[in-house]
Amino acid sequence: MSLASFNNSSLITGALLLVPILFVLYRNLTPSSSSDTTSSDSSSPSDTSEQEPKSIMQPARTDLLPPKDDPFTLNELKQYDGTTEGMPIYVSIKGTVFDVSHKSDVYGAGKSYNIFAGKDGSKGLGMSSLKTEHAVPDYSGLDEKDMKTLNDWHAFFIKRYNIVGRVSDLPDAVKDQ
Ligand code: HEM
């Protein structure tokens, strides 16, 4: 085996080993309500892992404002996608609109989770997908596991972001859910 091919196969082996490591790492990052204390939500009562790994996710907040109920159409939401300087950034999950402006480091233009800004991308959150085609409000096709992931994200956001309103024109398949 030539040195060049050895290096190539080492690289491929290294890359293959990285995939499960990243997966395990991310499993520890996905939302969990067990370390939260402000229990305004009851969607994940079974989430009680005893050995909570030290999370690098932001902690729950205790200074949230009373939730607002202002209606937003999906079209109106688009202006809050982080592309306009000085405008707030909004993320909607299952029709609940959250102000995520103080996390522009992840939701701002060009940042990792900008895909969820200025829209309701519930389906993608449930699927743990960052693909544009998945960041849509109709999550009706999600299986039980992905539905739990979506509900966990909703609970995560409720404890960390101010609610500024709700989407008034969700697709029929997920309206009133
Ligand atoms: C190996 C892949 C991934 C890694 C290493 C990773 C890493 C992280 C890290 C470090 C944070 C905390 C960020 C912060 O608070 O500053 C985070 C938060 C988050 N991640 Fe990921 N992530 C990965 C994949 C994904 C995927 C596929 C999704 C799609 C749903 C996703 C959605 C989120 C969301 C919504 C947050 C919450 C941000 C917040 O509001 O605090 N991540 N991730």
Side-chain angles (χ1 to χ4, degrees), residues 35-36 55-61 102-103 106-107 156-157 159-161:
S35 61
D36 298 332
S55 177
I56 57 169
M57 309 293 268
Q58 55 167 316
R61 281 174 56 185
H102 73 277
K103 289 289 280 181
V106 289
Y107 296 107
F156 176 93
F157 274 65
K159 289 161 188 159
R160 286 159 181 86
Y161 297 106

